[in-house]
Coordinates of all heavy atoms in Angstrom, one line a residue:
V29 N 139.9 80.2 -92.8 CA 138.5 80.5 -92.8 C 137.8 79.4 -91.9 O 136.8 79.7 -91.2 CB 137.9 80.6 -94.2 CG1 136.4 80.7 -94.1 CG2 138.6 81.7 -95.0
F30 N 138.3 78.2 -92.0 CA 137.7 77.0 -91.3 C 137.7 77.3 -89.8 O 136.7 77.1 -89.0 CB 138.3 75.8 -91.6 CG 137.7 74.5 -91.0 CD1 136.4 74.1 -91.3 CD2 138.5 73.9 -90.0 CE1 135.9 73.0 -90.7 CE2 137.9 72.8 -89.3 CZ 136.7 72.4 -89.7
L31 N 138.9 77.7 -89.2 CA 139.1 77.9 -87.8 C 138.2 79.0 -87.3 O 137.6 78.9 -86.2 CB 140.6 78.2 -87.5 CG 141.5 77.0 -87.6 CD1 143.0 77.5 -87.4 CD2 141.2 75.9 -86.7
V32 N 138.0 80.1 -88.1 CA 137.1 81.1 -87.6 C 135.7 80.7 -87.7 O 135.0 80.9 -86.6 CB 137.4 82.3 -88.6 CG1 136.3 83.6 -88.2 CG2 138.7 82.9 -88.4
A33 N 135.3 79.8 -88.7 CA 134.0 79.4 -88.7 C 133.7 78.4 -87.6 O 132.6 78.5 -86.9 CB 133.7 78.7 -90.0
Q34 N 134.7 77.6 -87.1 CA 134.5 76.7 -86.1 C 134.4 77.4 -84.8 O 133.8 77.0 -83.8 CB 135.6 75.7 -86.0 CG 135.6 74.7 -87.2 CD 134.5 73.7 -86.9 OE1 133.3 73.9 -87.5 NE2 134.7 72.7 -86.2
A35 N 135.0 78.5 -84.6 CA 135.1 79.3 -83.3 C 134.0 80.3 -83.2 O 133.9 80.8 -82.1 CB 136.5 80.1 -83.3
M36 N 133.2 80.4 -84.2 CA 132.1 81.4 -84.1 C 131.2 81.2 -83.0 O 130.8 82.1 -82.2 CB 131.3 81.5 -85.4 CG 132.0 82.2 -86.5 SD 132.7 83.9 -86.0 CE 131.2 84.7 -85.8
P37 N 130.6 80.0 -82.6 CA 129.8 79.8 -81.4 C 130.5 80.2 -80.2 O 129.9 80.9 -79.3 CB 129.5 78.3 -81.5 CG 129.7 77.8 -82.9 CD 130.8 78.7 -83.4
Y38 N 131.7 79.8 -80.0 CA 132.5 80.2 -78.8 C 132.6 81.7 -78.8 O 132.4 82.3 -77.6 CB 133.8 79.6 -78.8 CG 134.8 80.0 -77.7 CD1 134.5 79.5 -76.4 CD2 135.9 80.8 -77.9 CE1 135.3 79.9 -75.4 CE2 136.7 81.2 -76.9 CZ 136.5 80.8 -75.6 OH 137.3 81.2 -74.7
L39 N 133.0 82.4 -79.8 CA 133.2 83.8 -79.9 C 132.0 84.6 -79.5 O 131.9 85.5 -78.7 CB 133.7 84.3 -81.2 CG 135.2 83.9 -81.6 CD1 135.5 84.3 -83.0 CD2 136.1 84.7 -80.6
V40 N 130.8 84.2 -80.1 CA 129.5 84.8 -79.8 C 129.2 84.6 -78.4 O 128.6 85.6 -77.8 CB 128.5 84.3 -80.8 CG1 127.1 84.8 -80.4 CG2 128.8 84.7 -82.2
S41 N 129.3 83.4 -77.9 CA 129.0 83.2 -76.4 C 129.8 84.1 -75.5 O 129.3 84.7 -74.5 CB 129.2 81.7 -76.2 OG 128.9 81.4 -74.8
V42 N 131.1 84.1 -75.6 CA 131.9 84.8 -74.8 C 131.7 86.4 -75.0 O 131.6 87.2 -74.1 CB 133.4 84.6 -75.0 CG1 134.3 85.5 -74.2 CG2 133.6 83.1 -74.7
W43 N 131.5 86.8 -76.2 CA 131.1 88.2 -76.6 C 129.8 88.7 -75.8 O 129.8 89.7 -75.3 CB 131.0 88.3 -78.1 CG 130.6 89.7 -78.5 CD1 130.6 90.9 -77.9 CD2 130.3 90.1 -79.9 NE1 130.2 91.9 -78.7 CE2 130.0 91.4 -79.9 CE3 130.2 89.3 -81.0 CZ2 129.7 92.1 -81.1 CZ3 129.8 90.0 -82.2 CH2 129.5 91.4 -82.2
S44 N 128.8 87.8 -75.8 CA 127.5 88.2 -75.2 C 127.7 88.1 -73.7 O 127.0 88.9 -73.1 CB 126.4 87.2 -75.6 OG 126.7 85.9 -75.1
Q45 N 128.5 87.4 -73.2 CA 128.6 87.4 -71.7 C 129.7 88.3 -71.1 O 129.5 88.9 -70.0 CB 129.0 86.0 -71.3 CG 127.9 84.9 -71.5 CD 128.4 83.6 -71.2 OE1 129.4 83.3 -70.6 NE2 127.6 82.6 -71.6
Q46 N 130.8 88.5 -71.8 CA 131.9 89.2 -71.2 C 132.5 90.4 -72.1 O 133.3 91.1 -71.7 CB 133.1 88.4 -70.9 CG 132.6 87.3 -69.9 CD 133.8 86.4 -69.5 OE1 134.9 86.3 -70.2 NE2 133.6 85.5 -68.6
G47 N 132.0 90.5 -73.4 CA 132.4 91.7 -74.3 C 133.3 91.2 -75.3 O 133.8 90.0 -75.4
I48 N 133.4 91.9 -76.5 CA 134.0 91.6 -77.7 C 135.5 91.5 -77.4 O 136.2 90.7 -78.0 CB 133.7 92.6 -78.8 CG1 134.3 92.0 -80.1 CG2 134.2 94.0 -78.5 CD1 133.7 90.9 -80.7
F49 N 136.1 92.4 -76.5 CA 137.6 92.4 -76.4 C 138.0 91.1 -75.7 O 139.0 90.5 -76.2 CB 138.0 93.6 -75.4 CG 139.5 93.6 -75.2 CD1 140.4 94.0 -76.3 CD2 139.9 93.3 -73.9 CE1 141.7 94.0 -75.9 CE2 141.3 93.3 -73.7 CZ 142.2 93.6 -74.7
V50 N 137.3 90.6 -74.7 CA 137.6 89.3 -74.1 C 137.5 88.2 -75.0 O 138.3 87.3 -75.0 CB 136.7 89.2 -72.8 CG1 136.9 87.8 -72.2 CG2 136.9 90.3 -71.7
A51 N 136.5 88.3 -75.9 CA 136.2 87.2 -76.8 C 137.4 87.0 -77.7 O 137.9 86.0 -77.9 CB 134.9 87.3 -77.5
I52 N 137.8 88.2 -78.4 CA 138.8 88.2 -79.3 C 140.2 87.7 -78.6 O 141.0 87.0 -79.2 CB 139.0 89.5 -80.0 CG1 137.7 89.8 -80.9 CG2 140.2 89.6 -80.9 CD1 137.6 91.1 -81.5
S53 N 140.4 88.2 -77.3 CA 141.7 87.9 -76.8 C 141.7 86.5 -76.3 O 142.8 85.8 -76.5 CB 141.9 88.7 -75.5 OG 141.0 88.5 -74.5
R54 N 140.7 85.8 -75.9 CA 140.7 84.4 -75.6 C 140.9 83.5 -76.8 O 141.5 82.6 -76.9 CB 139.4 84.0 -75.0 CG 139.3 84.5 -73.5 CD 138.2 83.8 -72.9 NE 138.2 84.2 -71.4 CZ 137.2 83.9 -70.6 NH1 136.3 83.1 -71.0 NH2 137.3 84.3 -69.3
Y55 N 140.2 84.1 -78.0 CA 140.5 83.4 -79.3 C 141.8 83.4 -79.7 O 142.4 82.3 -80.1 CB 139.5 83.9 -80.4 CG 139.6 83.2 -81.6 CD1 139.2 81.9 -81.8 CD2 140.2 84.0 -82.8 CE1 139.4 81.3 -83.1 CE2 140.3 83.4 -84.0 CZ 139.8 82.0 -84.1 OH 140.1 81.4 -85.3
W56 N 142.5 84.5 -79.6 CA 143.9 84.6 -80.0 C 144.8 83.8 -79.1 O 145.8 83.2 -79.5 CB 144.4 86.1 -80.0 CG 143.9 86.7 -81.4 CD1 142.9 87.7 -81.5 CD2 144.3 86.5 -82.7 NE1 142.8 87.9 -82.9 CE2 143.6 87.2 -83.6 CE3 145.3 85.6 -83.2 CZ2 143.9 87.2 -84.9 CZ3 145.5 85.6 -84.5 CH2 144.8 86.4 -85.4
K57 N 144.5 83.8 -77.8 CA 145.2 83.0 -76.9 C 145.2 81.4 -77.2 O 146.1 80.7 -77.2 CB 144.8 83.1 -75.4 CG 145.2 84.4 -74.9 CD 144.6 84.6 -73.5 CE 145.0 86.0 -72.9 NZ 144.3 86.2 -71.6
Q58 N 144.0 81.0 -77.6 CA 143.9 79.7 -78.1 C 144.7 79.3 -79.4 O 145.3 78.3 -79.5 CB 142.4 79.3 -78.4 CG 141.6 79.2 -77.1 CD 140.2 78.7 -77.4 OE1 139.7 78.6 -78.5 NE2 139.4 78.5 -76.3
L59 N 144.7 80.3 -80.2 CA 145.4 80.1 -81.5 C 146.9 80.1 -81.1 O 147.7 79.4 -81.8 CB 145.1 81.2 -82.5 CG 143.7 81.1 -83.1 CD1 143.6 82.1 -84.1 CD2 143.5 79.7 -84.0
I60 N 147.4 80.9 -80.3 CA 148.8 81.1 -80.0 C 149.3 79.9 -79.3 O 150.4 79.3 -79.6 CB 149.0 82.3 -79.3 CG1 148.9 83.6 -80.0 CG2 150.4 82.3 -78.6 CD1 148.8 84.9 -79.2
T61 N 148.5 79.2 -78.5 CA 148.9 78.0 -77.8 C 148.6 76.8 -78.6 O 148.8 75.6 -78.0 CB 148.2 77.9 -76.4 OG1 146.7 77.9 -76.7 CG2 148.4 79.0 -75.5
L62 N 148.2 77.0 -79.8 CA 148.0 75.7 -80.7 C 147.0 74.8 -80.2 O 147.0 73.5 -80.4 CB 149.3 75.0 -81.0 CG 150.3 76.0 -81.7 CD1 151.6 75.1 -81.9 CD2 149.9 76.5 -83.1
S63 N 145.9 75.2 -79.5 CA 144.9 74.3 -79.0 C 144.1 73.7 -80.0 O 143.6 72.5 -79.8 CB 144.0 75.0 -78.0 OG 143.3 76.0 -78.6
P64 N 143.8 74.4 -81.2 CA 143.0 73.6 -82.3 C 143.9 72.4 -82.7 O 143.2 71.4 -83.0 CB 143.0 74.6 -83.4 CG 143.1 76.0 -82.8 CD 143.9 75.8 -81.6
L65 N 145.1 72.4 -82.8 CA 145.9 71.2 -83.1 C 145.8 70.1 -82.1 O 145.7 68.9 -82.5 CB 147.4 71.5 -83.4 CG 147.7 72.4 -84.6 CD1 149.3 72.8 -84.5 CD2 147.2 71.8 -85.7
H66 N 145.7 70.5 -80.8 CA 145.5 69.5 -79.8 C 144.1 68.9 -79.9 O 144.0 67.6 -79.9 CB 145.5 70.2 -78.4 CG 145.1 69.3 -77.3 ND1 143.9 69.1 -76.9 CD2 145.9 68.5 -76.6 CE1 143.8 68.2 -75.9 NE2 145.0 67.7 -75.7
F67 N 143.0 69.6 -80.2 CA 141.7 69.0 -80.4 C 141.6 68.1 -81.7 O 141.0 67.0 -81.7 CB 140.7 70.1 -80.4 CG 140.5 70.7 -79.1 CD1 140.7 72.2 -79.1 CD2 140.2 70.1 -77.9 CE1 140.6 72.8 -77.8 CE2 140.1 70.8 -76.8 CZ 140.3 72.0 -76.7
I68 N 142.3 68.5 -82.7 CA 142.5 67.7 -83.9 C 143.1 66.3 -83.6 O 142.7 65.2 -83.9 CB 143.1 68.4 -85.0 CG1 142.3 69.6 -85.5 CG2 143.4 67.4 -86.2 CD1 142.9 70.5 -86.5
F69 N 144.2 66.4 -82.9 CA 145.0 65.2 -82.5 C 144.1 64.4 -81.7 O 144.1 63.1 -81.9 CB 146.3 65.5 -81.9 CG 147.0 64.5 -81.2 CD1 147.8 63.7 -82.1 CD2 147.0 64.2 -79.9 CE1 148.4 62.6 -81.6 CE2 147.7 63.2 -79.4 CZ 148.4 62.3 -80.2
Q70 N 143.4 64.8 -80.6 CA 142.6 64.1 -79.7 C 141.4 63.4 -80.5 O 141.1 62.3 -80.2 CB 142.1 65.1 -78.6 CG 141.2 64.4 -77.6 CD 140.5 65.4 -76.6 OE1 140.6 66.5 -76.8 NE2 140.1 64.8 -75.6
A71 N 140.8 64.1 -81.4 CA 139.8 63.6 -82.2 C 140.2 62.4 -83.1 O 139.6 61.4 -83.2 CB 139.0 64.6 -83.1
K72 N 141.5 62.6 -83.7 CA 142.0 61.5 -84.6 C 142.3 60.3 -83.7 O 142.0 59.2 -84.0 CB 143.3 62.1 -85.2 CG 143.0 63.0 -86.3 CD 142.4 62.4 -87.5 CE 142.4 63.5 -88.6 NZ 142.0 62.9 -89.8
V73 N 142.8 60.5 -82.5 CA 143.3 59.3 -81.6 C 141.9 58.6 -81.2 O 141.9 57.4 -81.2 CB 144.0 59.8 -80.4 CG1 144.1 58.8 -79.4 CG2 145.3 60.3 -80.8
I74 N 140.9 59.3 -80.8 CA 139.7 58.7 -80.4 C 139.0 58.0 -81.7 O 138.6 56.8 -81.5 CB 138.7 59.7 -79.8 CG1 139.3 60.2 -78.5 CG2 137.3 59.2 -79.6 CD1 138.5 61.4 -77.8
G75 N 139.1 58.6 -82.8 CA 138.5 57.9 -83.9 C 139.2 56.6 -84.4 O 138.6 55.6 -84.7
I76 N 140.5 56.7 -84.2 CA 141.3 55.5 -84.6 C 141.0 54.3 -83.6 O 140.8 53.2 -83.9 CB 142.8 55.9 -84.6 CG1 143.1 56.6 -85.9 CG2 143.6 54.5 -84.6 CD1 144.5 57.2 -85.8
Y77 N 140.9 54.7 -82.2 CA 140.6 53.7 -81.2 C 139.2 53.1 -81.5 O 139.1 51.9 -81.4 CB 140.7 54.4 -79.8 CG 140.4 53.5 -78.7 CD1 141.2 52.6 -78.3 CD2 139.1 53.6 -78.1 CE1 140.9 51.6 -77.2 CE2 138.7 52.7 -77.1 CZ 139.7 51.8 -76.7 OH 139.3 51.0 -75.7
V78 N 138.3 53.9 -81.7 CA 136.9 53.4 -81.9 C 136.9 52.6 -83.1 O 136.2 51.5 -83.1 CB 135.9 54.6 -81.9 CG1 134.6 54.1 -82.5 CG2 135.7 55.3 -80.5
T79 N 137.6 53.0 -84.2 CA 137.5 52.2 -85.5 C 138.2 50.9 -85.2 O 137.7 49.8 -85.7 CB 138.3 53.0 -86.6 OG1 137.6 54.2 -86.8 CG2 138.3 52.1 -87.9
N80 N 139.3 50.9 -84.5 CA 139.9 49.6 -84.2 C 139.1 48.7 -83.4 O 139.1 47.4 -83.5 CB 141.3 49.9 -83.6 CG 142.3 50.3 -84.5 OD1 142.2 50.3 -85.7 ND2 143.3 51.0 -84.0
E81 N 138.5 49.2 -82.3 CA 137.6 48.5 -81.5 C 136.3 47.8 -82.2 O 136.0 46.7 -82.1 CB 137.0 49.2 -80.4 CG 138.1 49.6 -79.4 CD 138.7 48.4 -78.5 OE1 137.8 47.6 -78.1 OE2 139.8 48.3 -78.5
L82 N 135.8 48.6 -83.2 CA 134.7 48.0 -84.0 C 135.2 47.0 -85.0 O 134.5 46.1 -85.3 CB 134.0 49.2 -84.8 CG 133.2 50.1 -83.8 CD1 132.7 51.3 -84.7 CD2 132.2 49.4 -83.1
R83 N 136.4 47.3 -85.6 CA 136.9 46.3 -86.5 C 137.4 45.1 -86.0 O 137.1 44.0 -86.5 CB 138.1 47.0 -87.3 CG 138.6 46.3 -88.5 CD 139.7 47.0 -89.2 NE 139.3 48.3 -89.7 CZ 140.1 49.4 -89.8 NH1 141.4 49.3 -89.4 NH2 139.6 50.5 -90.2
A84 N 138.1 45.1 -84.9 CA 138.6 43.9 -84.3 C 137.6 43.3 -83.2 O 137.9 42.2 -82.7 CB 139.9 44.3 -83.6
G85 N 136.6 44.0 -82.9 CA 135.7 43.4 -81.8 C 136.3 43.4 -80.5 O 136.3 42.4 -79.7
G86 N 136.9 44.4 -80.1 CA 137.7 44.5 -78.8 C 136.8 44.7 -77.6 O 137.3 44.5 -76.5
A87 N 135.5 45.2 -77.7 CA 134.8 45.4 -76.5 C 134.2 44.0 -75.9 O 133.9 43.2 -76.7 CB 133.5 46.2 -77.0
Q88 N 134.4 43.9 -74.7 CA 133.9 42.7 -73.9 C 133.1 43.2 -72.8 O 133.2 44.2 -72.2 CB 135.1 42.0 -73.5 CG 136.0 41.5 -74.5 CD 137.3 40.8 -74.0 OE1 137.5 40.8 -72.7 NE2 138.1 40.1 -74.9
Y89 N 132.2 42.2 -72.4 CA 131.4 42.4 -71.2 C 132.3 42.1 -70.0 O 132.8 41.0 -70.0 CB 130.2 41.6 -71.3 CG 129.3 41.6 -70.0 CD1 128.5 42.7 -69.8 CD2 129.3 40.6 -69.1 CE1 127.9 42.9 -68.5 CE2 128.6 40.7 -67.9 CZ 127.9 41.9 -67.6 OH 127.2 41.9 -66.5
I90 N 132.3 42.9 -69.0 CA 133.0 42.6 -67.8 C 131.9 42.6 -66.6 O 131.2 43.5 -66.4 CB 134.0 43.8 -67.4 CG1 135.0 43.9 -68.6 CG2 134.7 43.5 -66.1 CD1 136.0 45.0 -68.4
A91 N 131.8 41.3 -66.1 CA 130.8 41.2 -65.0 C 131.2 41.9 -63.7 O 132.4 41.9 -63.4 CB 130.6 39.7 -64.7
T92 N 130.2 42.6 -63.1 CA 130.5 43.3 -61.9 C 130.1 42.6 -60.6 O 130.5 43.0 -59.6 CB 129.9 44.7 -62.0 OG1 128.4 44.5 -62.0 CG2 130.3 45.5 -63.1
G93 N 129.3 41.6 -60.8 CA 128.9 40.7 -59.7 C 127.6 41.3 -59.1 O 127.1 40.8 -58.2
R94 N 127.1 42.4 -59.6 CA 125.9 43.0 -59.2 C 124.7 42.5 -59.9 O 124.8 42.4 -61.2 CB 125.9 44.6 -59.2 CG 126.9 45.2 -58.2 CD 126.9 46.7 -58.4 NE 127.3 47.0 -59.7 CZ 127.3 48.3 -60.2 NH1 126.7 49.2 -59.6 NH2 127.9 48.5 -61.4
G95 N 123.6 42.3 -59.3 CA 122.4 41.8 -60.0 C 121.6 43.0 -60.4 O 121.9 44.1 -60.0
L96 N 120.5 42.7 -61.1 CA 119.6 43.7 -61.5 C 118.7 44.0 -60.4 O 118.2 43.0 -59.8 CB 118.8 43.3 -62.8 CG 119.6 43.3 -64.1 CD1 118.8 42.7 -65.2 CD2 120.1 44.6 -64.4
P97 N 118.3 45.2 -60.0 CA 117.3 45.5 -58.9 C 115.9 45.1 -59.5 O 115.3 45.9 -60.4 CB 117.6 47.0 -58.7 CG 118.0 47.6 -60.0 CD 118.8 46.5 -60.6
I98 N 115.4 44.1 -58.9 CA 114.1 43.7 -59.4 C 112.9 43.9 -58.4 O 111.8 43.8 -58.6 CB 114.0 42.2 -59.9 CG1 114.5 41.3 -58.8 CG2 114.8 42.0 -61.1 CD1 114.4 39.9 -59.1
D99 N 113.3 44.2 -57.2 CA 112.3 44.5 -56.2 C 112.1 46.1 -56.0 O 113.0 46.8 -56.2 CB 112.7 43.8 -54.8 CG 114.1 44.3 -54.4 OD1 115.0 44.3 -55.2 OD2 114.4 44.5 -53.3
R100 N 110.9 46.4 -55.8 CA 110.5 47.8 -55.7 C 110.6 48.3 -54.3 O 110.1 47.7 -53.4 CB 109.1 47.9 -56.2 CG 108.7 49.4 -56.4 CD 107.3 49.5 -57.0 NE 107.0 50.9 -56.9 CZ 106.3 51.5 -57.7 NH1 105.8 50.9 -58.8 NH2 106.0 52.8 -57.5
R101 N 111.3 49.4 -54.2 CA 111.3 50.1 -52.8 C 110.8 51.4 -52.9 O 111.0 52.1 -54.0 CB 112.8 50.1 -52.4 CG 113.5 48.9 -52.2 CD 114.8 49.1 -51.7 NE 115.7 48.0 -52.3 CZ 117.0 48.0 -52.1 NH1 117.7 49.1 -51.6 NH2 117.7 46.9 -52.5
P102 N 110.0 51.9 -51.8 CA 109.5 53.2 -51.9 C 110.6 54.2 -51.8 O 111.5 54.0 -51.1 CB 108.5 53.2 -50.7 CG 109.1 52.1 -49.8 CD 109.7 51.1 -50.7
F103 N 110.4 55.4 -52.4 CA 111.3 56.4 -52.4 C 111.3 57.1 -51.1 O 112.4 57.4 -50.5 CB 111.0 57.4 -53.6 CG 112.0 58.6 -53.7 CD1 113.2 58.2 -54.2 CD2 111.7 59.8 -53.3 CE1 114.2 59.3 -54.3 CE2 112.6 60.8 -53.4 CZ 113.9 60.5 -53.8
L104 N 110.2 57.2 -50.5 CA 110.1 57.9 -49.2 C 109.7 56.7 -48.2 O 109.0 55.8 -48.5 CB 109.0 59.0 -49.1 CG 109.2 60.1 -49.9 CD1 108.0 61.1 -49.9 CD2 110.5 60.8 -49.5
S105 N 110.1 56.9 -46.9 CA 109.8 55.9 -45.9 C 108.4 56.1 -45.5 O 107.8 56.9 -45.9 CB 110.7 56.1 -44.7 OG 110.5 57.2 -44.1
E106 N 107.8 55.1 -44.7 CA 106.5 55.0 -44.4 C 106.2 56.3 -43.4 O 105.0 56.8 -43.5 CB 106.2 53.8 -43.4 CG 106.3 52.5 -44.2 CD 105.2 52.4 -45.2 OE1 104.1 52.8 -45.0 OE2 105.5 51.7 -46.3
G107 N 107.1 56.9 -42.8 CA 107.0 58.1 -42.0 C 106.8 59.4 -42.8 O 106.7 60.5 -42.2
G108 N 107.2 59.3 -44.0 CA 107.0 60.5 -44.8 C 108.3 61.3 -45.1 O 108.5 62.3 -45.6
G109 N 109.5 60.7 -44.7 CA 110.7 61.3 -44.9 C 111.9 60.5 -44.7 O 112.9 60.3 -45.1

């Protein structure tokens, strides 16, 4: 039930654009190829990475050597283009 509820926006969108048969066939292709498991795995990996970065304080500032643009330049040149 959860997978069908999660897929409803996708199903309705494809149904409205290309028809019900295409929507159902694409949904079944996604289930057959186990793409929901891939997205669950991807979300878990990203969540673990973000949690570890917040917990351990891994984010650092990396200087690029560029300064802040503080002078104003006109978008168009004096000649109008």
Side-chain angles (χ1 to χ4, degrees):
V29 175
F30 179 73
L31 288 176
V32 175
Q34 289 290 95
M36 285 308 292
Y38 174 73
L39 286 171
V40 171
S41 175
V42 175
W43 180 9
S44 66
Q45 294 174 9
Q46 298 177 352
I48 188 72
F49 180 73
V50 175
I52 292 173
S53 67
R54 284 191 182 178
Y55 177 67
W56 280 109
K57 286 178 187 176
Q58 285 184 355
L59 288 179
I60 290 170
T61 59
L62 301 177
S63 67
L65 293 178
H66 173 272
F67 293 122
I68 291 170
F69 175 75
Q70 182 182 16
K72 291 284 187 180
V73 168
I74 291 172
I76 289 169
Y77 176 76
V78 169
T79 302
N80 288 341
E81 289 296 312
L82 291 174
R83 189 180 300 150
Q88 296 177 355
Y89 175 75
I90 300 173
T92 60
R94 294 181 289 169
L96 292 174
I98 56 173
D99 49 323
R100 184 176 173 144
R101 296 184 208 166
F103 185 70
L104 297 175
S105 65
E106 295 291 326

